[in-house]
Amino acid sequence: MDTLSVTPTRIDSDDTYYQCWFPVCLASEVGADTLAGVDMLGTRVIVYRDASGKAVVQSAWCPHLGADLSKGTRVEGQVRCPYHHWRFDSAGACSHIPTGDRIPAAARIFTYPSAEAWGLIWLFNGTTAAFDVPRIPGAVEAELACEAHLRGIRTSPGEVALSNGADFQHLRTLHGLQTTSPEEIAVRDHEIEFRVQGVGYTQHGVISGVSTFAQHLTPGGSELFMLFCGAPIDRGHRRMFFTVGVPRTGDAPADRLALDNLRGFVERLISEDEPVLESMRFRRGTLVASDRHLASYFRYVSDFPRAVPPGV
Ligand code: FES
Ligand SMILES: [Fe+2]
């Protein structure tokens, strides 16, 4: 009888994710009465707005028996579990148990550091935010006409897709843009920043954490702002968003046209990247001198802190 040699499958037991800001959902999806559930970071979170309108992001799992709180109801500003109607406030404390039992100290849900920026709601993967929510270089949100979009769910690893931001060669080869590479890029603990002064344009880019690339482009003197970001749903999937922005001029139809044009440009870039990113078997292979910024990016990513999401 033939014997079959089986190589054991490697079980990936690492349930950590980068300790940075991740986009949860479009801000426009969360109204005053919304109670939404979002799968991300290998777990599930709930998103809603408190009485002041601030976005709250918390673990979706009820500490009683583990019911999904996104299936519950908003009652007097609190979240009521669908199962036995325990209620939780925006700080995560259990405030009410209908039976009148004493509320156990452990009856809490984790509340993530959260923020709203660039048309998106964000959470920080940690108990406190170690740095600011991602920025678009040169942009003040209140001065922009800006619009966020869900691009969809993709399978390529986020750190590979994000490497686009430090891959200056591919702008010419894949996208056909007449751009140049920066001499230097500034690699800091939580972000990478660079500036390019090209012929007839400037490019100012920032990679934030391991989730977001944003840039300010000035082709022909126009001002274009864009942000690309994604959040892991689990090990094999990530949800991808992008935001486009132009300076608000007071002429709404002109701003609309500028935004539509920019969205078309950004969607072209993404649709050129996606077939490559979604089909590649990524490896940090043979790099050449022109890849030096990419090499710095890969070092930055491998040194970046990781953490098990506190609310799992
Ligand atoms: S499972 Fe939530 S109150 Fe019982
Ligand atoms: Fe690209």
Side-chain angles (χ1 to χ4, degrees):
M1 187 177 157
D2 287 343
T3 56
L4 190 65
S5 158
V6 177
T7 306
T9 306
R10 182 173 159 267
I11 305 293
D12 190 355
S13 60
D14 180 4
D15 46 9
T16 63
Y17 291 88
Y18 292 107
Q19 205 162 16
C20 67
W21 289 96
F22 288 108
V24 179
C25 61
L26 299 175
S28 59
E29 291 177 301
V30 186
D33 298 321
T34 305
L35 176 60
V38 178
D39 292 315
M40 60 187 294
L41 305 183
T43 186
R44 187 167 176 80
V45 299
I46 53 171
V47 194
Y48 61 94
R49 293 186 186 279
D50 68 13
S52 70
K54 181 184 180 302
V56 180
V57 182
Q58 296 173 313
S59 170
W61 310 122
C62 179
H64 184 211
L65 294 182
D68 177 354
L69 295 171
S70 75
K71 305 286 189 271
T73 318
R74 299 289 308 285
V75 176
E76 295 167 3
Q78 300 175 342
V79 175
R80 189 180 73 184
C81 179
Y83 209 1
H84 310 98
H85 288 191
W86 290 19
R87 290 194 205 170
F88 301 91
D89 65 22
S90 60
C94 179
S95 53
H96 178 70
I97 295 179
T99 55
D101 282 288
R102 189 183 58 81
I103 297 174
R108 294 188 63 85
I109 49 174
F110 179 73
T111 303
Y112 288 86
S114 65
E116 184 166 342
W118 317 116
L120 297 159
I121 291 171
W122 304 75
L123 70 70
F124 188 88
N125 179 27
T127 50
T128 54
F131 52 96
D132 287 342
V133 75
R135 62 193 171 103
I136 301 181
V140 176
E141 187 165 357
E143 297 170 4
L144 285 190
C146 88
E147 194 171 82
H149 298 276
L150 172 68
R151 174 67 182 181
I153 293 173
R154 299 292 179 266
T155 57
S156 54
E159 52 275 69
V160 176
L162 189 62
S163 73
N164 247 243
D167 187 333
F168 301 95
Q169 288 183 64
H170 100 290
L171 296 176
R172 298 186 287 278
T173 52
L174 179 66
H175 298 304
L177 301 173
Q178 301 304 310
T179 55
T180 53
S181 300
E183 279 303 312
E184 300 297 335
I185 63 173
V187 182
R188 308 190 184 103
D189 284 349
H190 307 299
E191 68 173 18
I192 295 176
E193 183 170 17
F194 65 85
R195 284 185 173 78
V196 177
Q197 178 64 59
V199 179
Y201 80 99
T202 60
Q203 181 188 13
H204 183 184
V206 172
I207 290 172
S208 173
V210 189
S211 67
T212 307
F213 172 59
Q215 61 182 347
H216 175 202
L217 293 180
T218 64
S222 59
E223 302 264 347
L224 308 177
F225 299 91
M226 60 199 82
L227 176 144
F228 307 84
C229 61
I233 297 170
D234 54 27
R235 286 281 156 236
H237 304 86
R238 75 188 156 85
R239 193 177 290 109
M240 189 198 160
F241 301 89
F242 67 91
T243 292
V244 287
V246 295
R248 196 185 292 279
T249 62
D251 178 348
D255 293 350
R256 177 74 266 154
L257 183 62
L259 274 181
D260 288 345
N261 288 339
L262 179 55
R263 181 179 177 179
F265 172 67
V266 165
E267 290 196 321
R268 173 170 80 78
L269 294 180
I270 295 173
S271 65
E272 288 168 353
D273 282 320
E274 278 176 342
V276 177
L277 294 171
E278 290 293 301
S279 62
M280 69 196 282
R281 189 172 70 178
F282 175 74
R283 63 188 65 191
R284 217 182 303 190
T286 308
L287 301 184
V288 294
S290 301
D291 293 316
R292 67 188 192 286
H293 298 322
L294 206 45
S296 300
Y297 167 81
F298 289 132
R299 269 197 303 280
Y300 163 84
V301 166
S302 63
D303 290 347
F304 207 90
R306 299 176 66 97
V308 176
V312 296

